[in-house]
């Protein structure tokens, strides 16, 4: 009878879709990985701190100890960022009752591909050695690659449950490419500062994903609404993701800031902003229900908004109370977003946002960009000290005559560019993804692992021991 | 019929309770967070290692490299401690079959509030700058705030499932306050050493929670006993908490010890004590059952007792075998506590201890205090070296004439003070929490997420695809 | 009726087994732990970097700052390795539907015992101080102990679900002993390099486990096949293990490499190899199914093969593209192993390999050994620099006349020795474990937690509130 139901449903569905990715997925993985190997072979080498010549370089540069290798400044933060990318984003998206394999598995796949492509793209734009035409990578490159990947995983949140793995790979390929250009313009050409990536990671990534979701609008998505929700233990799994993101966000925002006080201050600011966000999220979540009950969706997502919003300004002299204020506001705005804006966007703007990234990344990212612009414009030698101002805003070389007020303008310009790249890029890539060749899910079967995964039997009870083993129909492993 | 049952049950329940926290919870969160922002604005600033003036300070102090910023000594440990607080404590308490949302969610809420209040309270007592009346915070302050929060999360373990989130916030407010006073007396006034907080964190926190639980004794709690237990996968979730606590405990005990050998030794001692505890826990757990089966409650909790007990003495020259002996004893005592003492306390002393914190924190904490006193009293220049003795016990400034034997006495006094603060504070706070305004659970509905959380539908199976979508009754997200 | 079925099944089972470990398990735990304490008391002391004399030693050695204590070079990596051992291996094995308690619990037990014994065994062979006959331990010793334990946890993967905890303890005791001898021969006597342990950890551990499994072949194991598989959420739990192993593998391979560029380069190489593996694993997994669906078994396991294979050569100048190539190949080979070789081995070679360690550790380990030999033989001063070559391959002291080509030969010899120790040791230990005294599971009840754990009731639903509490039959905690 189940099969019969399914057949009927297939008939009334206007376009029966083929979700077989047996040719396309292996092809994409193999071809792209081989291309990566070739390009890495041509372009990528170790930099002087990870090369075996370090011993000579160290002596030459009069560096007193191995501990001053950048590895020891960055590695703990790198590992925390790595956990955020794979466990944080991966598990945060396991909240759907039957999409946990895809959430954590496709997150794994696109992150593993994305970081390789990011090393190349970011390398070409930012660290190509003019002497030999090679990209020299170090720990900082790996962190930047993880950052770049984060923007695509944010975009994944908007389309969660609706795209095939092949589409996700294509989305990642273009996302990384756009990110690298975007980042080059914002950080290098207009010299905006963006330590935690409120603009380049969150604003760009969120609008990129939302635009793709808008282009791929599914009017009949409510045919899958039985699967678009959580069960008790899938919500607990999602809390693993939430907490690892929340705990390690100070590492995210401080991972590539200046050695010394820069990393120290960015970690403190982020820690405080996040703490403050939790309280206002709980407050609004409780207020929004008739009996004051809390909603897991808010706790899983909005508690993180403070970390997003403090991203750009994390290394600035925000002051501890400033961080708390940012977190305070973002907890409110993000939770209200889940209550009012997400349903509004779905109904009137035709944007289906599975994870609510508009509330967690887009709005807080824009707020973060604005905060960055304002605090940069307000910076003064009194607060930062002469050397501190130069270090924090990198007023050196070509930018040595920059002043804080103009820096604020550049920050604002950076925010606009991130927005444009996100929306524009998303629309173009959305067009590409609308082609009917990618094997995406039919409207009545979204949010379902069954399309792309061999699933184990469903029941959880232990079958009794049978006399006749031939009668058993359990999966053979 | 279920509703009917529920009505009947409500009728026979002597005092029908109102668990609506829609006014009180948002009010507490908003008001307290705003107060935090104001107090942070008045009092809290960056210290010289996280301030933008660091570059100038560094030059002035002749510090050769940025790597000597305290950030690089403490940050990896800080992140591990942070994981223990949020994932460790949070998931350890998810073992109840229907209280996982509250376990991990309220843990998150009270920790996020507690750490802000702790920064203020500990700052006023310990790091108020006499020059400008400001508290200067750094990475070490954040670690101390996390430590302070740990004591309240321990207390949460005793009352798990029985208090409303508003009560938990009140309990945390007072808990942090008491902790800061207690810590000031123990560490500063009487100059006891307590690196891993056996006394100030575990002994204080556990007796604070147990006293509150005693004051809030529920004679009819067995009406909720259907929910006071685990299911298979909730026990697996709890193991996530156990393991992250266990693995990162070396970071906990070494996070604020002296640079260099102090941190190194504390980590080694804790690692060894914990390893030893696992074996004796398994042994006693197996012995306690007729067929030698293991009990998950013991594995989840008692395996951690060695880390508690080695806390005070972690930085001393305990010797590796000394650490093993401490772990050995604590595994036995803690497991026996679960088997004999917890039921005894519930039956005769009217102390209902949901997580068994008496076995995991109270007894091992007291043992840790005693071990600390004994090993301090036995310290000698032969073992520590002259400089080592001074560094380890901080026999400088006002305390430069201190001798180990007297230090042992001070340690013992510290333990007594922690006990008094815990019991006394708990009784007073328990009185406050008995007021009938807090929205706590009725006796027949404890350990139930349903009171404070919007729950997803229960079934886990995928409903078949229906011809007629109107017939579906699934939750709409 | 279920009981009746069970009785029937017990009758047709040739040898009814006694799985009671109430005497043996506590006895083993207590006796061995007491022996550990005694041996630690006799042999183990702090080394100069963790001893309180460090302050004097530092002044004497003219070390400029506490940050140059080896603790700060190693501790972040140590904690990551620790997470891999306890959460990584533990949760990776929770994939079975009813063996999660044993997977994570016995992993915990044998690791906690193993690391103590490893400190002693490795100490006797490698760091016995000739002056006073003591073993001096430091952070590096703890990392090495964790490494040593890893080899036994790998072996556990092969026999998962089939051995009693007592057998596992015996297997670990001998495994650690063999490891220490093996490692001494490979690293010290023949001076092979093996930073990430492709040979000493993975090859040895995997063949040790496979040989034991071969010796303990159970022809009637398909009587338990109803339990030899996963359910939906057990696969999600297993992904926690997979991801923590995957993310922290760069720390594993770089934990004990040279300060500075050695650690830096090992982390980069491992990061890249792992990323590449993910793509080819997905490709082969998808290709292997008629409709292109992915298999969770492959994603959970084969994605890690690149980390194994890059182990030996991680610190060499593999070049980034070299790392990608290794990962590329290993993803393919490992996934094909799961599809073709594991069933073949079970059917024709009588090796039952529950977790497929042959595909995840044995084959990639051997590949890693070969890669190490080839890259060592190909090393040149042009690529490494004069000082770099000496540092990387440790051509100092007794080995100062070594040349790369000969080093390659030594590497190959090391691989052979690891293989021999694994197979030979496994056969001997397998004989010991065949004795009928260990309380292992009957063939029709393998993969079942029920034998060794008190299990909570199975149902997950919340029973309704009853009028009459006497009727309740829920477990009382």
């Amino acid at each position: 009878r189940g099969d019969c139901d399914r057949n009927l449903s297939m008939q009334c569905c206007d376009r029966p879709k083929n979700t077989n990715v047996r040719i396309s997925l292996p092809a994409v993985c193999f071809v792209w990985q081989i291309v990566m190997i070739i390009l890495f072979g041509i372009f990528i080498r170790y930099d002087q701190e990870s090369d075996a010549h370090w011993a000579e370089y160290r002596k030459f540069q009069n560096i007193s100890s191995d501990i001053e290798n950048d590895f020891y400044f960055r590695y703990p933060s790198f590992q925390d960022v790595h956990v955020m990318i794979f466990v944080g984003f991966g598990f945060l998206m396991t909240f759907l009752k039957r999409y946990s394999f895809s959430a954590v598995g496709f997150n794994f796949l696109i992150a593993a591909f994305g970081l390789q492509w990011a090393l190349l793209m970011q390398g070409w734009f930012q660290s190509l050695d003019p002497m030999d035409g090679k990209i020299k990578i170090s720990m900082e490159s790996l962190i930047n690659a993880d950052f770049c990947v984060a923007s695509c995983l944010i975009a994944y949140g908007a389309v969660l449950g609706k795209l095939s793995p092949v589409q996700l790979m294509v989305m990642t390929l273009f996302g990384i490419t756009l990110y690298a250009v975007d980042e080059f313009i914002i950080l290098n050409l207009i010299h905006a500062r963006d330590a935690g990536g409120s603009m380049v990671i969150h604003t760009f990534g969120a609008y990129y994903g939302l635009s793709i979701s808008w282009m791929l609008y599914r009017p009949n998505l409510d045919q899958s609404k039985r699967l678009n929700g959580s069960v008790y233990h899938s919500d607990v799994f999602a809390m693993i993701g939430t907490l690892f993101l929340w705990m390690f966000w100070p590492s995210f925002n401080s991972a590539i800031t200046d050695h010394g006080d820069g990393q120290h201050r960015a970690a403190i600011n982020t820690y405080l902003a996040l703490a403050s966000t939790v309280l206002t999220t709980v407050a609004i979540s409780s207020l929004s229900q008739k009996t004051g009950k809390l909603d897991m969706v808010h706790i899983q997502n909005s508690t993180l908004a403070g970390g997003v919003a403090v991203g750009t300004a994390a290394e600035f002299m925000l002051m501890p109370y400033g961080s708390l204020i940012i977190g305070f506001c973002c907890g409110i705005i993000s939770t209200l977003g889940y209550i009012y804006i997400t349903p509004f966007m779905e109904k009137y703007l035709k944007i289906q946002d599975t994870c609510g990234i508009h509330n967690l990344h887009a709005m807080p990212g824009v707020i973060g960009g604005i905060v960055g612009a304002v605090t940069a414009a307000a910076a003064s030698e009194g607060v930062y000290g002469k050397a501190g101002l130069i270090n924090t805003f990198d007023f050196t070389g070509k930018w040595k005559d920059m002043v804080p007020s103009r820096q604020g303008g550049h920050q604002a310009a950076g925010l606009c560019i991130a927005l444009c790249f996100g929306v524009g890029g998303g629309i173009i890539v959305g067009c590409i993804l609308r082609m009917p060749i990618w094997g995406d899910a039919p409207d009545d079967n979204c949010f379902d692992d069954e399309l792309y995964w061999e699933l184990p039997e469903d029941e959880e009870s232990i079958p009794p021991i049978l006399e006749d083993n031939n009668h058993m129909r359990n999966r053979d492993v």
Side-chain angles (χ1 to χ4, degrees), chain A:
Chain A
R1 218 177 54 76
D3 283 347
C4 171
D5 288 354
R6 192 177 293 262
N7 288 336
L8 271 166
S9 141
M10 292 292 273
Q11 280 162 22
C12 47
C13 183
D14 38 343
R15 39 163 187 168
K17 290 203 174 187
N18 177 8
T19 60
N20 189 330
V21 291
R22 196 186 177 193
I23 305 304
S24 52
L25 183 58
V28 164
C29 289
F30 271 129
V31 172
W32 293 7
Q33 187 58 56
I34 290 166
V35 171
M36 288 299 116
I37 291 173
I38 294 167
L39 292 174
F40 267 61
I42 300 172
F43 286 106
I44 295 200
R45 295 294 177 270
Y46 304 115
D47 89 340
Q48 70 270 14
E49 297 193 291
S50 52
D51 192 283
H53 290 86
W54 158 257
E56 289 157 21
Y57 175 82
R58 198 190 120 188
K59 198 172 288 175
F60 183 71
Q61 294 277 320
N62 236 330
I63 295 168
S64 68
S65 162
D66 275 330
I67 197 89
E68 294 186 51
N69 189 306
D70 195 44
F71 181 79
Y72 301 101
F73 289 90
R74 307 274 181 214
Y75 193 67
S77 307
F78 159 69
Q79 275 295 7
D80 294 348
V81 171
H82 218 40
V83 171
M84 293 174 72
I85 298 299
F86 290 89
V87 164
F89 282 104
F91 273 86
L92 184 61
M93 297 190 284
T94 57
F95 70 99
L96 290 171
K97 66 182 80 167
R98 279 285 141 170
Y99 208 64
S100 302
F101 285 14
S102 302
V104 78
F106 295 158
N107 183 83
F108 195 14
L109 172 64
I110 62 181
F113 164 67
L115 60 87
Q116 297 177 53
W117 182 228
L119 281 172
L120 283 163
M121 282 299 303
Q122 294 184 316
W124 284 322
F125 278 109
Q126 304 212 14
S127 51
L128 207 60
D129 186 332
M131 301 284 279
D132 56 5
K134 305 292 185 197
I135 299 162
K136 302 293 169 65
I137 62 170
S138 67
M139 200 40 62
E140 197 170 336
S141 320
L142 306 197
I143 297 171
N144 275 313
D146 273 14
F147 277 7
C148 188
V149 162
S151 69
C152 293
L153 300 181
I154 291 166
Y156 181 28
V159 298
L160 186 75
K162 297 176 287 183
L163 298 196
S164 76
V166 182
Q167 282 176 307
L168 293 174
M169 291 289 282
V170 173
M171 188 185 89
T172 303
L173 178 75
F174 287 106
I176 300 283
T177 312
L178 288 162
Y179 178 98
V181 179
D182 178 41
E183 184 194 31
F184 176 70
I185 296 173
I186 294 175
L187 301 190
N188 297 44
L189 295 192
I190 69 167
H191 193 262
R193 303 289 289 170
D194 198 8
S198 297
M199 303 184 288
V200 295
I201 301 170
H202 298 285
T203 304
F204 163 74
Y207 285 104
Y208 179 64
L210 291 168
S211 303
I212 291 174
S213 188
W214 180 65
M215 291 300 291
L216 300 175
Y217 179 68
R218 288 168 180 261
N220 301 315
L221 190 62
D222 61 351
Q223 288 176 7
S224 293
K225 76 175 171 187
R226 76 197 178 286
L227 290 170
N228 190 359
S230 63
V231 288
Y232 193 77
H233 76 243
S234 72
D235 271 330
V236 182
F237 276 123
M239 280 304 290
I240 297 174
T242 299
L243 288 176
F244 275 103
L245 286 171
W246 194 92
M247 295 180 304
F248 287 163
W249 215 294
S251 297
F252 192 91
N253 286 350
S254 70
I256 55 162
T257 51
D258 286 339
H259 290 176
D261 65 299
Q263 290 194 284
H264 204 147
R265 193 165 54 252
I268 292 174
N269 286 335
T270 311
Y271 172 93
L272 291 173
L274 285 162
S276 176
T277 310
V278 175
L279 272 88
T280 52
T281 298
V282 168
I284 300 290
S285 182
S286 177
L287 262 181
S288 74
Q289 297 283 344
K290 278 207 184 106
T291 55
K293 291 185 185 185
L294 299 172
D295 190 327
M296 251 305 169
V297 173
H298 307 154
I299 308 300
Q300 281 160 7
N301 293 282
S302 298
T303 49
L304 301 167
V308 175
V310 87
T312 299
E315 61 181 332
F316 301 164
M317 290 290 283
L318 265 184
M319 293 300 145
Y321 66 89
S323 306
L324 290 184
I325 293 171
I326 295 171
F328 187 91
C329 299
C330 284
I332 296 172
I333 291 168
S334 176
T335 315
L336 289 175
Y338 277 96
I339 300 167
Y340 299 110
I341 301 177
T342 299
F344 174 87
M345 280 171 48
E346 179 153 358
K347 201 161 173 191
Y348 298 105
L349 304 184
K350 313 256 176 259
I351 300 176
Q352 289 153 333
D353 180 5
T354 313
C355 294
I357 61 164
H358 187 259
N359 313 306
L360 171 47
H361 297 283
M363 291 192 298
V366 172
I367 293 171
I370 296 168
V371 167
V374 173
T375 49
S380 69
E381 267 191 29
V383 174
Y384 286 78
K386 196 175 167 65
L389 197 65
I390 292 169
N391 285 347
T392 305
F393 294 99
D394 198 19
F395 290 159
T396 53
K398 195 176 130 195
W399 302 94
K400 71 176 192 297
D401 298 325
M402 194 79 162
V403 289
S405 57
R406 252 186 72 211
Q407 177 71 28
H410 285 226
Q411 296 287 136
L415 179 59
C416 298
I417 292 166
L419 271 164
C420 296
F421 263 81
V423 175
I427 289 172
I428 296 165
V429 175
C431 283
I432 297 169
L433 295 180
R434 284 173 86 167
M435 290 193 287
I437 56 171
W438 305 114
D440 53 328
D443 286 350
D444 60 350
N445 219 16
C446 287
F447 315 116
D448 194 350
D449 274 338
E450 218 198 351
L451 296 178
Y452 305 114
W453 296 87
E454 291 290 312
L455 291 188
E457 39 165 356
D458 207 44
E459 45 175 340
E460 305 198 14
S461 61
I462 319 171
I465 298 171
L466 299 176
E467 298 97 308
D468 184 353
N469 275 308
N470 296 331
H471 287 175
M472 271 195 264
R473 299 229 182 77
N474 293 302
R475 186 174 81 139
D476 210 319
V477 174

